[in-house]
Amino acid sequence: MTPTRKRRLKTLTGASSVISASNDTTPSAGAKRAVELARKAEAQKITGLFTADLLHIDPAGLAGTAGIQEPIIALAALSQATSEIGLIATVSTTFHHPYNLARQIGTLDHASGGRAGWNAVTSSVGEENFGETLPSPEERYERAAEFIEIVNALYDANERDAARRKGSGAVGIDPAKFHRIDYRGRYFSVAGPLNVPPLPQRRPVQFQAGQSEAGVTVGARYAEVVYTSQPKLKDAIAFATDLRRRAASFGRGNNLPFIMNSFHSVIGESDADVARRLREKHERIDYEQGRLKLADMLGGDLDLSGLPLDRPLPETLLPDVTSINGRRGRVEIFRRYARQGLTLRELIIQAKETGHWSVAGTPEQLADAIEERVKSGVLDVLSLHGLGNPDQEDLLLKGLLPELRRRQLIDTDYVGDDFRSNLELPPLAPPTVSQASRTA
């Protein structure tokens, strides 16, 4: 009998922007660079490409280039230049509609041959662009739960052979095999059926980001991969324990949901090289803009101007998390940092990493940190940085990744035929009547 293969850590990297710039020599320069980097990631057997998103331009420039392209369209373009790497689009459940999203991501799954995933987020900005006021976090997550239920029901309702290839090469459909879901909830009413035939994966892979109380519950109930910011190992252990306890209360098994961290690294060739790179990185920080960035991490309604950089932040300035209508999980991380006595300068440095896991070291030292989390059972999917960065790419591709392979922590090749199997997710449960309809 063949022994069961041990699942290895899966890796993601950010998809590059396909956007053209005013000083490009050709309008396709952005798309060509994005294709080049996507193919490079695929050659390295990176499991997936991830796209973040925002629904506005940050007037202070704190978010960089996040949100300057529509993720699904960008990934559809990259799907035609790659063949195995997964494609994950971040989508707001607050300002999108589940039927449209099901059509868009479903079509991406078809176009890519079964490589689509979507990351459900509840936006804390951008309401002005939709003529709405921002709902409370609790309402946003209630809406997200309905949204995900509807999308899954739409995908599950249609029969597998609803579409057939004709001898001519065209596709024919049998309308009798497309079924309604008749979902009526507090936020959405969707009859169905979905007019996109059954997907190669049946469902795209479900990612979810959010670490407030309500966000963790949604992830525990619906997500297959939860994207979380846990800068310290003890925080990661506490989060994983809580998440899995909640998942078990919903009757979930198979170690679901998987846990994903973003790994913000500074890679150097030696301890001295690491120290130099870290020092130069900190010297490039604009600490005045950094005050704005830190204020944003703490909920946005703070004035940190004039405070001394090398003294701790007065506790009287720290907001009550329950008063925040934005990213409460991120606020809690920076409240903890401030209460640990970090100076304003140190808090600004942490804010540059937006509360994510951040490590500086040689490839071997970074691999040690990653291996520690894997062996602690708190890390299943890792988002790596450095691809496309001239200062770090070589050290990532020729240093860190080979070291992780040497330790047999990551895959040396794709292990399946679609994104689900490459992530080594357990098989989806067969659809049931209860999954395909609901009246709230």
Side-chain angles (χ1 to χ4, degrees), residues 2-257:
T2 304
T4 303
R5 178 187 181 280
K6 182 180 179 182
R7 183 187 180 276
R8 293 182 179 175
L9 177 68
K10 306 304 173 180
T11 53
L12 307 178
T13 192
S16 181
S17 167
V18 301
I19 299 300
S20 64
S22 61
N23 58 337
D24 286 340
T25 56
T26 171
S28 61
K32 287 180 178 178
R33 180 175 185 271
V35 165
E36 176 188 337
L37 292 174
R39 286 174 171 166
K40 192 175 289 188
E42 189 168 70
Q44 292 289 325
K45 310 305 178 183
I46 299 292
T47 319
L49 295 173
F50 187 89
T51 56
D53 197 24
L54 282 178
L55 296 175
H56 77 164
I57 282 287
D58 178 4
L62 303 178
T65 58
I68 66 169
Q69 65 180 2
E70 201 291 310
I72 300 171
I73 293 174
L75 292 175
L78 297 180
S79 77
Q80 301 306 291
T82 55
S83 59
E84 296 181 285
I85 197 165
L87 307 162
I88 309 127
T90 292
V91 179
S92 169
T93 59
T94 305
F95 299 119
H96 284 76
H97 192 281
Y99 191 85
N100 280 341
L101 183 278
R103 298 185 74 235
Q104 292 166 328
I105 294 289
T107 303
L108 177 62
D109 202 55
H110 281 286
S112 64
R115 293 186 284 136
W118 71 285
N119 177 39
V121 299
T122 61
S123 298
S124 58
V125 295
E127 67 276 10
E128 69 279 5
N129 295 321
F130 297 88
E132 298 182 20
T133 57
L134 187 66
S136 70
E138 291 76 16
E139 289 176 306
R140 297 200 301 268
Y141 282 108
E142 286 176 5
R143 178 185 168 103
E146 281 194 16
F147 195 111
I148 294 170
E149 285 184 356
I150 291 167
V151 170
N152 288 342
L154 287 167
Y155 289 138
D156 289 348
N158 296 339
E159 296 178 40
R160 293 300 300 169
D161 60 347
R164 305 277 295 181
R165 184 75 55 189
K166 298 178 181 179
S168 66
V171 169
I173 63 168
D174 182 349
K177 295 184 176 183
F178 289 75
H179 299 293
R180 294 167 63 98
I181 65 169
D182 292 316
Y183 187 107
R184 295 179 183 86
R186 177 182 174 188
Y187 298 93
F188 301 104
S189 179
V190 177
L194 180 65
N195 61 349
V196 174
L199 279 51
Q201 296 187 102
R202 199 183 104 195
R203 294 180 188 174
V205 178
Q206 182 69 69
F207 287 69
Q208 183 265 350
Q211 51 196 57
S212 66
E213 178 70 19
V216 175
T217 297
V218 168
R221 185 168 187 175
Y222 299 105
E224 294 174 293
V225 183
V226 165
Y227 181 16
T228 180
S229 304
Q230 301 300 332
K232 305 297 181 184
L233 177 61
K234 66 177 183 177
D235 298 327
I237 292 172
F239 177 84
T241 301
D242 181 41
L243 179 70
R244 288 171 181 150
R245 176 188 59 78
R246 297 188 198 207
S249 74
F250 292 117
R252 305 187 71 187
N254 296 312
N255 203 37
L256 288 177

Side-chain angles (χ1 to χ4, degrees), residues 312-343:
L313 206 60
E315 184 151 348
T316 53
L317 287 179
L318 301 181
D320 177 1
V321 172
T322 60
S323 70
I324 302 299
N325 199 24
R327 299 175 297 178
R328 289 180 178 175
R330 202 60 50 89
V331 173
E332 188 55 52
I333 288 172
F334 280 88
R335 275 171 50 92
R336 287 200 300 268
Y337 278 147
R339 286 180 164 174
Q340 290 167 9
L342 270 66
T343 65

